[in-house]
Amino acid sequence: MFKLAVYTQLVAVALAAIGPSTNLQIGNKNISPDGFDRSAVLAGADADTLDFPGPVIHASKGDTFNINVVDALTDASMLRTTSIHWHGFFQSGSAWADGPAGVTQCPIAPGNSFLYEFSAADQAGTFWYHSHHVSQYCDGLRGAMVVYDPEDPHLSLYDVDNEETVITLADWYHTPGPQLDGTVPPPDSTLINGKGRSDGGPTVPLAVIAVRPNKRYRFRLVNIACNPAYTFSIDGHTMTVIEADGISTEALEVDSLQIFAGQRYSIVVETNQAVDNYWIRADPNRGTSGFAGGLNSAILQYEGAPINTDPTSTQSPNSNPLLEQNLHPLTNAAAPGTPTEGAADVNLNLAIAIGANGFTVNGAHFSEPNVPVLLQILSGTTAAQDLLPAGSVYNLPLNSVIEISMPGGSPGSPHPIHLHGHAFSVVRSAGVATPNYVNPVQRDVVSIGAATTDNVTIRFRTDNAGPWIMHCHIDWHLVLGLSVVFAEDAPSVASSDQPTAWDALCPAYDALPAGTR
């Protein structure tokens, strides 16, 4: 009874949050989150609430999401079609709802809508959503998702967990994405909860996270960027990590952490310092670094501290960074399969290089096919060598242990690699030479490292039929071809059913006049 009462109190969600059954309006609106005004691609509950980031979509463990995405895009300087990925959800039995254009669906045509229906099932934790259509999410279509667990095993460690304790880290660009595709542009600014300052730009207000003294806050930290990893810290405070990418971890105290694009962490912060304002810092590994003039910053504001005042705090403590290899799952910790390198049922090495058209993986450049991979399989093509894009699709058999190694130090490193449809055990993290099969961290995005001596290795079990894309979550790199698709249990996929509305997506998209996509 105590747990339920506390849970009800903790997850009281502010009015701006929506879900699990909701409309999600996608439209254009001019915003100036760093003082520079531009048109953006935004999400909201309706046309009047479009914003950056989009509204938090929330649910409870076991709920079913019914999210009706309404495409009301009109700005011809950016994409007007769209497709949404629900990052971190396994989509068991609903691969058609996963969202990546060219893999599991055709994009939604402007003036149309599409209902994504999928179950949270046994998953709980911190997730996010974003466009999965070329570089569209870089223009603003991104937001956080939370699945609350009334029986959260870490419930006794925190007092406050609600929409206001979600922290999003984002890069922002002053130029529309279609003008930047084919390049890897540096961000113009860092936005924390949708606010930030650009180098040489105006001193606009920063995001303020209000706290009360002597409370324990569960902050859900989400990197929704298109490019940078951020080194995150809060002056004067330590953090206890209790979740990585939707999976509970053993509690681990740190004073800073690096979070790559697509990753999420839950951290518990105790507000046990003097009443004051404290800098929240998110230093990017690409773009303008440092904190001069409030760059890459937000404000942790204790109740009773001066308002409308930048902090004067210093960056300390700063000697105990998170090391990924020190994170361990709270339950079911062992990696699947025989605990020896190369001893899985299927062992793959994915070598990243630069080719004539951009990135290649094992010599193949991924270019989004005109017919989604899922539709190709449903039409009877199941062998990897026959599926498009040529050379980028791999068959994976059902009920098998898969081991994938990815050498580091390739051009554009470090690459944050995301696998759809699964979490995986990181048996060898970047910077580590010895594999761990006993209790490696489980997650769905991993940095494969910048050193040529890195050989990040992951394992997972094929228990979820579908065409699952695995790609670099630097969105500009995905546009340049850094991706593969795993056709997992293709025979089962070929006999699966999809909603009638899914069948209508490709004809509607293909019928669009030139220049309206």
Side-chain angles (χ1 to χ4, degrees):
M1 181 66 69
F2 171 76
K3 278 191 174 182
L4 183 59
V6 173
Y7 169 73
T8 304
Q9 178 185 2
L10 295 185
V11 301
V13 181
L15 291 176
I18 59 176
S21 295
T22 183
N23 282 338
L24 188 68
Q25 182 96 358
I26 311 301
N28 299 116
K29 179 182 174 182
N30 275 58
I31 59 172
S32 50
D34 61 358
F36 178 87
D37 188 73
R38 60 155 291 186
S39 177
V41 178
L42 303 175
D46 51 43
D48 296 326
T49 57
L50 298 174
D51 205 354
F52 182 85
V56 173
I57 301 176
H58 67 97
S60 296
K61 187 175 181 179
D63 281 352
T64 295
F65 287 97
N66 289 275
I67 305 173
N68 185 46
V69 173
V70 180
D71 186 339
L73 295 167
T74 58
D75 189 332
S77 71
M78 295 171 287
L79 289 174
R80 282 174 280 178
T81 52
T82 194
S83 187
I84 311 297
H85 172 52
W86 319 98
H87 184 123
F89 291 100
F90 300 151
Q91 299 289 355
S92 179
S94 55
W96 59 268
D98 191 43
V103 180
T104 61
Q105 70 171 87
C106 284
I108 305 165
N112 288 264
S113 64
F114 181 65
L115 178 65
Y116 291 88
E117 182 178 359
F118 57 95
S119 174
D122 293 328
Q123 293 185 263
T126 310
F127 307 88
W128 65 298
Y129 63 94
H130 59 86
S131 170
H132 213 301
H133 184 26
V134 199
S135 63
Q136 189 179 53
Y137 94 72
C138 305
D139 285 322
L141 209 179
R142 27 184 166 159
M145 301 180 76
V146 178
V147 178
Y148 296 101
D149 181 1
E151 299 296 330
D152 176 22
H154 286 310
L155 197 60
S156 64
L157 299 183
Y158 54 89
D159 306 308
V160 185
D161 176 30
N162 56 40
E163 187 206 0
E164 295 179 355
T165 64
V166 174
I167 302 176
T168 58
L169 309 178
D171 50 355
W172 193 246
Y173 301 85
H174 294 167
T175 303
Q179 298 179 35
L180 300 172
D181 287 343
T183 71
V184 186
D188 290 299
S189 59
T190 295
L191 306 182
I192 301 179
N193 284 357
K195 296 181 179 181
R197 296 172 185 169
S198 60
D199 190 20
T203 307
V204 296
L206 298 172
V208 173
I209 297 174
V211 295
R212 298 174 62 191
N214 301 312
K215 296 290 184 182
R216 300 167 303 167
Y217 286 82
R218 177 176 183 162
F219 290 119
R220 296 176 182 267
L221 187 64
V222 190
N223 184 340
I224 62 173
C226 285
N227 190 337
Y230 298 98
T231 299
F232 180 88
S233 62
I234 303 175
D235 287 2
H237 297 76
T238 59
M239 308 173 279
T240 300
V241 180
I242 60 170
E243 177 214 347
D245 294 0
I247 297 175
S248 293
T249 65
E250 296 178 358
L252 178 67
E253 185 175 284
V254 300
D255 56 32
S256 68
L257 59 82
Q258 188 173 40
I259 181 170
F260 287 84
Q263 290 184 333
R264 296 88 65 207
Y265 289 108
S266 279
I267 54 175
V268 176
V269 175
E270 186 172 358
T271 52
N272 55 5
Q273 300 300 302
V275 171
D276 207 343
N277 295 312
Y278 296 87
W279 284 119
I280 297 171
R281 304 175 188 266
D283 204 21
N285 68 340
R286 296 179 175 92
T288 304
S289 61
F291 310 104
L295 293 179
N296 308 311
S297 300
I299 299 169
L300 184 76
Q301 185 174 87
Y302 277 59
E303 184 179 58
I307 61 173
N308 302 321
T309 303
D310 280 358
T312 58
S313 59
T314 57
Q315 192 173 6
S316 65
N318 191 30
S319 60
N320 185 27
L322 172 66
L323 301 177
E324 184 180 66
Q325 62 269 25
N326 291 341
L327 282 175
H328 305 296
L330 192 62
T331 59
N332 303 316
T338 303
T340 306
E341 287 183 276
D345 299 315
V346 177
N347 302 280
L348 297 172
N349 182 75
L350 301 182
I352 299 168
I354 291 287
N357 298 313
F359 286 99
T360 63
V361 180
N362 290 351
H365 170 80
F366 183 90
S367 182
E368 187 177 302
N370 292 327
V371 179
V373 177
L374 178 55
L375 182 55
Q376 295 177 53
I377 296 173
L378 290 169
S379 301
T381 304
T382 58
Q385 65 268 24
D386 299 323
L387 289 164
L388 300 175
S392 293
V393 183
Y394 296 74
N395 284 120
L396 295 182
L398 182 65
N399 295 326
S400 300
V401 175
I402 313 300
E403 181 173 291
I404 300 173
S405 58
M406 296 166 282
S410 56
S413 292
H415 297 287
I417 300 297
H418 172 46
L419 173 63
H420 291 220
H422 291 274
F424 46 75
S425 296
V426 185
V427 298
R428 182 175 170 185
S429 293
V432 176
T434 304
N436 172 15
Y437 294 93
V438 176
N439 58 357
V441 66
Q442 297 167 8
R443 62 185 327 152
D444 58 52
V445 180
V446 66
S447 167
I448 65 169
T452 55
T453 54
D454 284 326
N455 190 37
V456 168
T457 304
I458 65 172
R459 276 199 181 180
F460 62 97
R461 185 178 298 277
T462 49
D463 54 7
N464 190 18
W468 305 119
I469 190 171
M470 189 168 92
H471 61 90
C472 180
H473 224 299
I474 297 173
D475 213 37
W476 312 107
H477 289 181
L478 173 57
V479 173
L480 286 166
L482 210 173
S483 178
V484 297
V485 173
F486 295 122
E488 181 177 334
D489 189 14
S492 292
V493 176
S495 61
S496 62
D497 294 322
Q498 286 69 42
T500 302
W502 184 89
D503 295 330
L505 287 171
C506 287
Y509 178 75
D510 294 340
L512 290 171
T516 61
R517 294 183 177 182

